[in-house]
Amino acid sequence: MQNKQMQHLMKGAVVLSIASFVAKILSAVYRIPFQNMVGNTGFYVYQQVYPIYGIGMTFALSGFPVYISKIVAEETAPAEQTQILRRSFALLGLFGALIFLYLQYQAPAIAVVMADAELAPLIRMVSYMFLLMPFLAVTRGYFQGIFNMIPTATSQVAEQLVRVVVIILAAWLSLKLHWSVYEMGTWAMSGAFFGGLVATVALLKPAEKAFVLRGTKPKGINLGAYRSLAKRLLIEGGSICLFASLIVLLQLVDSFTVKKGLVASGLTEDFAKNLKGIFDRGQPLVQLGLVISMAFSSTLIPSLSRARQQQQDHQFQQVAESLIHISLGLSAAATTGLMILMPQVNYLLFGDADGNKALVWYMLSIVIIALINACNSVLQSLDQFHKTTIALLIGLLVKVVINQWLVQHFQIVGASVGTVISLGVVLALILRQSPELVQDALGGQHFTGKLVLICGIMAVAVRFVVTVIQPSLVSRGQAVLGAGVGIAVGVSVFISLALAWQLFSIREWLTIPGGKQLLKLAQKLKR
């Protein structure tokens, strides 16, 4: 029976991983045609307010639902599960309403602090999604708690699809109807509400029975139970939310400091907006760089939890090591490739090579975030929430303190460096507090040394080939050729050296999709 439940859990985890992968691809890819349609200034307007949406999205999808699923799974009685849902909905409903009211009334003040008073309508528009957040968070958490991942997966993909369609439609209409970039941004931000509305409708019927109280109805309101749940939601649920929104929180700091710092450095308002729009190109690139490593490594997280629950220490150590190796290896390859091919990638996706230096620095975020997430998964499996939370808060504080000064002195390169430094602080603090198995995974069989050498050789090979076939870059056609050849060479060199120098174990290769075929090919070539 337990084996059957575990198979059901694993199947659900795979379904949710696929849905998350599709949603993340949609969330990253739409920004490219969007930027091409609205230009750097239009992209700046949208990206300034996007982090507020991103935080709300984290609450509704990957923060509170994860914690609610945990407390629902702890209760076996349906009546108790319903009580948890009702209390969670009431508490999050109050929380969402307060955020909505704050954003509605303080939108002008927030926009002024962002150094652009015309952003107020966008802030008011994005606030509406917080009214939908409580229902989305609670119902998704309930279904994940009873190991039914289908409703969450369906609502997640539907929400992103609708949001992307609304955003692209807003961009297209702004060109046809000659809207200002702020009118366009306001309608683009409405995609957050319409996407959330579709997700709510998708979850209404499946969740109908969950809120119907079964068993004996309690007398009165249990204030003690509400206080206890509120405390747990704030501390443990808040910790999960913080980590799930790490990238978005750093972008929120950028929204308040980058444009302001650029103007303080002596740039005009219009030029500062344009330059911030160029800097914001880094976000979809980082997301795309993380998607592959996160998708592969996320398949290992249920195995990590299972090994911990069954007290299989050796199995836990093996899975943790595989999680760290795969996350770090694939993200390091993606980081190296994007850094070397940045002129081609930038020209191909955005039509020019502006901001290359800043974007190259920003790409370092990929490998650091991947390693932070892998270590965080291990620590959370060991119920060590507070260590990662403190590290994250210190890293954010570092970003707040240094960012505007860096921007004033080094413009958008300074903003990228500020992000890398703050992430580096978070990673250093987490590694310092991590158990020995994390240190062993990074140093075992000289893994990190091999990885650095492989990425170095890959970088030299890609740079040499691209320089030979493409001494200059003046069109998107050339960018396609350079990026295509560079990616082919980079992938070939990385895989060949990783196999030859046994960077990953056989177990790890088998975890990576296509790894089994690569091992067979390597054996054939040896023979």
Side-chain angles (χ1 to χ4, degrees):
M1 182 73 178
Q2 190 179 6
N3 207 23
K4 207 171 185 181
Q5 188 182 12
M6 187 53 67
Q7 285 178 349
H8 184 58
L9 173 61
M10 292 294 286
K11 186 179 176 183
V14 170
V15 168
L16 201 54
S17 295
I18 292 169
S20 297
F21 179 75
V22 172
K24 282 174 183 171
I25 287 286
L26 284 170
S27 182
V29 169
Y30 83 84
R31 286 183 174 86
I32 295 161
F34 179 69
Q35 187 276 342
N36 279 259
M37 294 169 80
V38 301
N40 291 330
T41 304
F43 198 46
Y44 145 82
V45 167
Y46 176 80
Q47 286 292 128
Q48 280 291 92
V49 180
Y50 173 83
I52 299 174
Y53 159 77
I55 291 168
M57 187 68 176
T58 301
F59 289 162
L61 185 63
S62 52
F64 289 125
V66 171
Y67 183 68
I68 291 167
S69 71
K70 181 183 173 184
I71 54 178
V72 165
E74 288 170 359
E75 293 291 345
T76 52
E80 285 302 314
Q81 289 179 341
T82 300
Q83 286 291 3
I84 288 168
L85 295 185
R86 287 183 165 191
R87 289 169 188 152
S88 299
F89 182 70
L91 290 168
L92 290 181
L94 177 62
F95 179 56
L98 289 173
I99 295 176
F100 169 76
L101 291 171
Y102 176 78
L103 292 175
Q104 281 288 317
Y105 288 102
Q106 293 299 315
I110 295 168
V112 167
V113 178
M114 285 183 175
D116 192 343
E118 291 183 87
L119 292 171
L122 283 83
I123 295 169
R124 286 197 174 107
M125 180 60 78
V126 81
S127 70
Y128 286 97
M129 72 162 296
F130 286 93
L131 297 177
L132 302 171
M133 179 273 293
F135 179 78
L136 293 173
V138 171
T139 51
R140 285 166 171 164
Y142 167 72
F143 287 119
Q144 287 168 228
I146 61 171
F147 309 119
N148 180 8
M149 310 298 182
I150 302 296
T152 297
T154 305
S155 68
Q156 183 181 356
V157 174
E159 181 175 6
Q160 285 301 317
L161 270 173
V162 171
R163 188 173 77 88
V164 168
V165 168
V166 171
I167 290 167
I168 298 300
L169 184 61
W172 180 77
L173 285 172
S174 73
L175 295 175
K176 294 290 179 185
L177 302 177
H178 307 292
W179 289 345
S180 73
V181 287
Y182 295 96
E183 287 176 298
M184 177 280 303
T186 303
W187 281 105
M189 275 298 158
S190 72
F193 175 74
F194 289 117
L197 197 60
V198 168
T200 301
V201 171
L203 288 166
L204 271 174
K205 193 163 181 65
E208 194 177 346
K209 289 181 183 177
F211 284 89
V212 178
L213 191 64
R214 291 147 286 188
T216 309
K217 192 172 182 179
K219 296 176 182 179
I221 296 173
N222 188 340
L223 291 176
Y226 274 94
R227 274 195 297 268
S228 174
L229 181 59
K231 187 178 177 182
R232 292 183 72 185
L233 278 171
L234 178 65
I235 297 171
E236 297 176 57
S239 173
I240 297 171
C241 287
L242 272 174
F243 242 91
S245 57
L246 172 58
I247 305 174
V248 177
L249 288 169
L250 293 173
Q251 289 165 3
L252 186 64
V253 176
D254 287 326
S255 291
F256 285 104
T257 56
V258 173
K259 193 242 174 180
K260 193 183 290 185
L262 290 171
V263 172
S265 72
L267 301 182
T268 64
E269 286 279 332
D270 289 341
F271 193 65
K273 292 175 186 178
N274 184 71
L275 208 53
K276 173 62 165 57
I278 292 169
F279 170 74
D280 286 330
R281 296 177 184 183
Q283 186 189 346
L285 296 177
V286 167
Q287 275 188 288
L288 287 170
L290 281 169
V291 157
I292 298 171
S293 66
M294 293 303 293
F296 292 165
S297 63
S298 64
T299 59
L300 291 169
I301 293 174
S303 304
L304 198 68
S305 301
R306 179 174 60 179
R308 172 66 175 164
Q309 286 168 358
Q310 296 176 357
Q311 296 183 327
Q312 297 173 335
D313 293 339
H314 181 66
Q315 177 72 9
F316 182 86
Q317 187 164 349
Q318 280 188 326
V319 176
E321 188 173 282
S322 297
L323 175 64
I324 290 167
H325 283 180
I326 292 170
S327 296
L328 183 55
L330 297 179
S331 62
T335 299
T336 305
L338 282 167
M339 289 176 77
I340 297 300
L341 291 172
M342 184 50 68
Q344 287 75 20
V345 171
N346 198 6
Y347 212 118
L348 171 63
L349 299 179
F350 302 108
D352 57 51
D354 294 341
N356 277 336
K357 193 174 179 182
L359 295 176
V360 165
W361 274 100
Y362 201 25
M363 292 309 101
L364 286 171
S365 305
I366 296 170
V367 67
I368 303 174
I369 292 168
L371 188 52
I372 287 171
N373 286 335
C375 294
N376 182 50
S377 297
V378 175
L379 287 169
Q380 286 199 351
S381 298
L382 297 168
D383 295 324
Q384 296 180 9
F385 290 91
H386 65 284
K387 292 181 179 180
T388 54
T389 304
I390 292 168
L392 186 145
L393 290 172
I394 292 172
L396 281 174
L397 182 62
V398 169
K399 174 79 171 169
V400 170
V401 170
I402 67 174
N403 210 58
Q404 191 165 327
W405 184 89
L406 285 169
V407 173
Q408 280 183 241
H409 289 79
F410 306 103
Q411 297 190 348
I412 57 173
V413 173
S416 295
V417 172
T419 296
V420 172
I421 290 172
S422 57
L423 287 170
V425 169
V426 175
L427 178 59
L429 290 172
I430 288 175
L431 288 176
R432 189 179 176 185
Q433 301 174 86
S434 294
E436 280 186 24
L437 68 91
V438 173
Q439 315 291 343
D440 293 342
L442 290 170
Q445 295 183 335
H446 309 292
F447 176 81
T448 306
K450 285 181 188 176
L451 179 61
V452 169
L453 190 55
I454 289 169
C455 287
I457 294 170
M458 182 182 90
V460 172
V462 172
R463 173 61 66 87
F464 175 76
V465 170
V466 171
T467 303
V468 168
I469 67 165
Q470 196 176 76
S472 63
L473 182 64
V474 293
S475 70
R476 267 190 161 143
Q478 285 185 331
V480 171
L481 175 65
V485 171
I487 290 168
V489 171
V491 169
S492 301
V493 170
F494 184 85
I495 291 174
S496 301
L497 292 177
L499 285 165
W501 295 351
Q502 297 178 343
L503 179 68
F504 301 121
S505 66
I506 292 173
R507 178 195 298 270
E508 287 160 3
W509 277 114
L510 293 175
T511 302
I512 300 170
K516 187 177 181 181
Q517 288 72 24
L518 288 171
L519 287 173
K520 285 181 179 178
L521 179 62
Q523 287 174 346
K524 282 182 183 178
L525 291 172
K526 278 184 182 179
R527 287 198 296 266

